[in-house]
Amino acid sequence: MSKNQNKTGSYSFFNCIEKNFDKAARFISIEKGLLEQIKACNSVYRMHFPVKIGKEIKVIEAYRVQHSHHKLPCKGGIRYSMKVNQDEIMTLAALMTYKCAIVDVPFGGAKGGIKIDPQTISSENIEKITRRYTSELIKKNFIGPGIDVPAPDYGTGEREMSWIFDTFLSLRSGDVDALACVTGKPVSQGGVRGRKEATGLGVFYGIRELCHVKEEMYSVGLDVGLVGKKIIIQGLGNVGYHAASFFHESGAIIIALAEREGAIYNEKGLNVSKVFLHLRNNGSILNFPEAKNIENTEKALELECDILIPAALENVIHKNNANRIKAKIIGEAANGPITPEADEILDKKGMIIVPDIYLNAGGVTVSYFEWLKNLSHVRYGRMEKKFRENVNAEFLKIIETVCKKKISIEEKKMILRGPREIDLVRSGLEDTMINGFHKIRDLKKSLKIENMRTAAFVLSINKIIDSYEKLGIFP
Ligand code: GLU
């Protein structure tokens, strides 16, 4: 057992990322010490605070880790889960650094976590814990529009982000930029339209782009295009739910959906919106009328399919099940769903793995748009929507006169339309995901890198080196 392995013989999560980093470092010629600086976590804040729950005082364990300060503010979600620990939060913070660099989001990576199970705690108590956590962050200067900006992650959402903002504002009243202290807020509280579905939509854009590249598809024996591809999605939280909906709408066939309690399967395809209705009404996806139940949810990962999307937690594909995975493409919607040992096994099988540090970067991309909106204090599209519509109307008039033809009301509606906030956010996200994909692929080809993950790391590390150099830190 090596010094990096824990008692069960597997690597710590942080060591997994270090391994991926080291593979990429072979393609970068820069002094070793400088690479070590990029790899290291800059600040780890581990806290314990008391919260009165019922008649008892409970001591809550929580973290905020800032992995890199090469760009400020730091950025990353906050997760609520009983699995939260320092190693996990450090790793997720590091992934945020690499993720932001790939999609040109000018932030350093961070992550936070509170060790609680939100499903067993009342919302009043979750609120108490969230507000107390926020004031701990404020005390130590670990939150602020130019310092560190949290966002939703596993077990948190718009509601928690509202509480964080409100607590920040009450302790920093008069700060005109206070709204930018956290992203993923509800639209009525300074959020941006399109943030909620952004990670899932980014996953969809990334996979769609891959499916349009003939060479890539032929390399795994598939046809070009997303229509008709058989997809399995594991995890129906915010990311998995939205990804499933977008894939379904685009004509892909969702053959299985897996949740904690089990999975459901229908070779001909599941109607995703009907499954969600069933889940809402019954509290479980099991016993969906048009599907077979799979009791052992892990078995769903091993079914025959074209694309497998793990969208829940880390390390779900490991050395013990990797050999049984039959997908041709794996899209990492979750952070770190494949261990390095499994990665090697899957690589040898010739699968395409679209890595997390690129594929799930849609969330932070739209968080960046939200942060910019908050700092500019104006909704996207507010200044140009009407102007665009007026210009388009003038154009239409000219076209109708020149062509001596009347354009139908339906066509007119489409052509006249000025951009709304949601249109601008989605086009910014689409453009980011398409560009990111091709930058990784071009680098992979030009340096003859073995897989997309290593190429994504090389791209990201090079960008971080570039910003350090511009800061004058690496002479
Ligand atoms: N928690 C998300 C992630 O892991 C989003 C982070 C953010 O928006 O800052 O990428």
Side-chain angles (χ1 to χ4, degrees):
M1 198 161 78
S2 92
K3 72 174 175 34
N4 289 334
Q5 286 176 296
N6 65 23
K7 277 183 236 125
T8 59
S10 52
Y11 288 89
S12 90
F13 195 18
F14 196 72
N15 295 143
C16 295
I17 302 306
E18 289 189 311
K19 278 190 122 205
N20 291 331
F21 185 102
D22 293 340
K23 281 187 192 161
R26 292 178 291 132
F27 296 90
I28 299 166
S29 49
I30 187 169
E31 202 190 305
K32 195 164 166 277
L34 305 179
L35 287 172
E36 291 301 319
Q37 166 55 35
I38 294 174
K39 236 195 309 190
C41 265
N42 285 4
S43 320
V44 179
Y45 177 19
R46 176 172 187 231
M47 65 197 99
H48 284 99
F49 51 81
V51 173
K52 196 155 185 201
I53 296 186
K55 288 197 175 96
E56 270 178 75
I57 293 184
K58 290 255 189 254
V59 178
I60 307 289
E61 180 183 331
Y63 300 85
R64 184 73 186 170
V65 173
Q66 296 173 348
H67 171 260
S68 177
H69 296 125
H70 72 287
K71 297 234 176 204
L72 286 172
C74 295
K75 189 83 190 79
I78 295 180
R79 62 172 53 188
Y80 291 179
S81 143
M82 285 310 285
K83 290 196 180 138
V84 160
N85 61 65
Q86 186 171 322
D87 177 65
E88 183 197 44
I89 303 299
M90 281 170 63
T91 314
L92 295 170
L95 285 175
M96 286 307 303
T97 296
Y98 306 126
K99 208 185 284 191
C100 289
I102 287 181
V103 288
D104 287 327
V105 165
F107 297 145
K111 201 78 170 196
I114 307 185
K115 192 172 176 182
I116 51 169
D117 178 0
Q119 286 184 331
T120 60
I121 303 180
S122 69
S123 67
E124 289 78 26
N125 287 327
I126 297 179
E127 177 172 356
K128 251 194 229 173
I129 295 168
T130 306
R131 288 185 181 278
R132 178 64 195 255
Y133 174 73
T134 310
S135 46
E136 294 295 324
L137 294 179
I138 296 171
K139 264 198 254 171
K140 291 275 194 285
N141 219 14
F142 260 69
I143 184 171
I147 299 169
D148 188 345
V149 181
D153 199 82
Y154 187 81
T156 58
E158 291 184 341
R159 182 185 67 163
E160 287 73 16
M161 302 308 118
S162 279
W163 292 330
I164 292 174
F165 163 62
D166 187 57
T167 312
F168 185 85
L169 187 63
S170 62
L171 294 169
R172 291 267 194 275
S173 71
D175 181 344
V176 70
D177 290 328
L179 266 179
C181 79
V182 61
T183 60
K185 303 177 292 294
V187 173
S188 59
Q189 289 272 77
V192 74
R193 285 162 187 83
R195 172 63 185 87
K196 211 172 179 176
E197 66 274 28
T199 314
L201 183 56
V203 168
F204 167 76
Y205 286 143
I207 295 292
R208 188 192 63 184
E209 202 52 26
L210 168 73
C211 290
H212 282 149
V213 182
K214 207 156 67 175
E215 266 174 88
E216 299 289 342
M217 289 301 98
Y218 290 181
S219 77
V220 287
L222 292 174
D223 290 335
V224 176
L226 200 51
V227 177
K229 292 268 179 312
K230 294 191 171 181
I231 301 188
I232 298 174
I233 297 186
Q234 181 246 358
L236 293 179
N238 183 45
V239 180
Y241 166 82
H242 284 109
S245 309
F246 289 117
F247 281 122
H248 181 64
E249 279 164 26
S250 75
I253 304 171
I254 309 291
I255 58 162
L257 291 168
E259 258 292 45
R260 265 189 265 200
E261 68 273 15
I264 53 170
Y265 173 73
N266 181 342
E267 203 191 353
K268 299 216 164 62
L270 296 160
N271 181 322
V272 171
S273 35
K274 278 195 191 165
V275 174
F276 291 128
L277 199 65
H278 173 84
L279 174 62
R280 204 174 314 141
N281 294 338
N282 301 282
S284 162
I285 53 169
L286 292 177
N287 303 322
F288 179 64
E290 294 152 29
K292 271 191 236 149
N293 283 346
I294 301 174
E295 302 290 331
N296 180 354
T297 190
E298 284 174 25
K299 288 284 159 209
L301 300 170
E302 299 169 16
L303 296 168
E304 200 88 51
C305 69
D306 298 322
I307 306 173
L308 172 63
I309 308 279
L313 285 173
E314 53 264 21
N315 298 341
V316 291
I317 302 176
H318 41 77
K319 65 174 191 290
N320 300 326
N321 65 359
N323 262 318
R324 294 195 296 272
I325 305 287
K326 298 179 195 74
K328 311 225 168 54
I329 297 168
I330 302 185
E332 294 188 322
N335 289 310
I338 304 179
T339 66
E341 291 106 330
D343 215 17
E344 273 164 29
I345 299 171
L346 301 174
D347 237 6
K348 278 192 196 121
K349 286 178 146 196
M351 278 179 201
I352 301 178
I353 297 174
V354 189
D356 49 2
I357 55 170
Y358 156 68
L359 195 63
N360 69 32
V364 76
T365 301
V366 176
S367 273
Y368 171 45
F369 300 157
E370 180 175 334
W371 182 76
L372 291 172
K373 172 185 181 179
N374 295 153
L375 293 177
S376 64
H377 301 265
V378 63
R379 184 184 74 232
Y380 287 106
R382 178 163 178 186
M383 306 299 275
E384 64 266 43
K385 185 171 180 291
K386 194 68 203 151
F387 175 76
R388 269 271 132 246
E389 285 171 359
N390 291 342
V391 173
N392 291 349
E394 289 302 319
F395 266 135
L396 255 183
K397 250 195 246 158
I398 298 169
I399 292 169
E400 282 186 327
T401 323
V402 173
C403 301
K404 296 190 180 67
K405 188 178 176 279
K406 280 270 167 233
I407 288 167
S408 76
I409 300 202
E410 281 314 301
E411 285 168 334
K412 257 190 192 160
K413 254 196 209 158
M414 211 183 68
I415 300 167
L416 288 181
R417 199 162 61 103
R420 299 164 304 165
E421 181 166 86
I422 185 74
D423 303 319
L424 294 167
V425 164
R426 286 200 173 172
S427 74
L429 174 62
E430 185 174 6
D431 189 49
T432 304
M433 294 308 294
I434 292 174
N435 273 330
F437 176 82
H438 290 287
K439 278 192 197 146
I440 297 169
R441 189 166 179 270
D442 291 349
L443 194 69
K444 177 175 174 284
K445 278 175 88 174
S446 67
L447 296 185
K448 298 195 173 42
I449 301 173
E450 60 274 20
N451 57 43
M452 259 189 100
R453 188 189 311 284
T454 305
F457 267 94
V458 175
L459 177 67
S460 173
I461 297 167
N462 277 335
K463 288 193 184 178
I464 299 166
I465 291 172
D466 189 53
S467 5
Y468 270 120
E469 277 170 352
K470 295 212 167 95
L471 280 174
I473 293 176
F474 292 177

